[in-house]
Amino acid sequence: MTAVIEITQDFTACYALRHKVFVQEQGVPESEELDAHDASATHLLAWQNHAPIGTARIVFDGDLAKIGRVCVLPDLRGTGLGADLIRAALAIARDTPGIATVKLGAQIQALGFYEKLGFSATGPVYDDAGIDHRDMVMELA
């Protein structure tokens, strides 16, 4: 994968990717997909050939960094791009003073993906926008 991943202010591109994946593909209500955290989050955007292909965001709260809204276009899944987005978010969290823990809410079918990246599942399964999720955490050294 020859994608470029960078922090972005191009919220339109991030929201368009999220709309395609979460709203159109997965049926998440648009009213739940966008939230108040978007205004203060650090947004990552993956590009390939000048086209947006994946995104994620990080919300910082005290000593916690919460990675969320991770999505990759359907035809690029399985290429390593999702893992690259998570590694980029983890690098930002590690470089942010005071961050001790990284957390995310994983869709159940993605638990193994996040475990391979070093996250551990915690707590019960819960419903988020009609999709079963489970929290996952990583303690930063």
Side-chain angles (χ1 to χ4, degrees):
M1 173 68 33
T2 58
V4 173
I5 299 171
E6 57 193 3
I7 294 174
T8 187
Q9 298 295 314
D10 188 348
F11 305 129
T12 301
C14 294
Y15 299 158
L17 286 164
R18 289 167 40 183
H19 187 270
K20 180 177 177 90
V21 171
F22 298 125
V23 176
Q24 293 178 343
E25 180 184 336
Q26 297 182 354
V28 172
E30 191 163 4
S31 61
E32 292 182 41
E33 202 291 304
L34 297 174
D35 65 23
H37 295 295
D38 280 318
S40 62
T42 298
H43 295 265
L44 299 175
L45 190 58
W47 295 88
Q48 186 176 47
N49 300 326
H50 305 287
I53 57 173
T55 189
R57 76 176 189 188
I58 312 163
V59 175
F60 295 97
D61 184 15
D63 67 350
L64 178 71
K66 184 164 191 240
I67 299 172
R69 302 305 199 268
V70 180
C71 66
V72 171
L73 290 176
D75 58 336
L76 292 169
R77 293 180 193 150
T79 64
L81 178 59
D84 289 345
L85 277 164
I86 297 300
R87 284 191 281 269
L90 287 169
I92 292 166
R94 284 187 181 99
D95 289 344
T96 302
I99 299 299
T101 305
V102 179
K103 180 179 176 181
L104 55 84
Q107 294 183 10
I108 293 300
Q109 75 274 8
L111 289 175
F113 167 79
Y114 291 111
E115 286 170 343
K116 288 178 186 172
L117 291 166
F119 286 87
S120 299
T122 183
V125 173
Y126 61 91
D127 179 282
D128 185 1
I131 301 169
D132 284 343
H133 282 70
R134 192 157 178 215
D135 284 339
M136 301 193 82
V137 296
M138 177 189 292
E139 300 300 326
L140 300 180

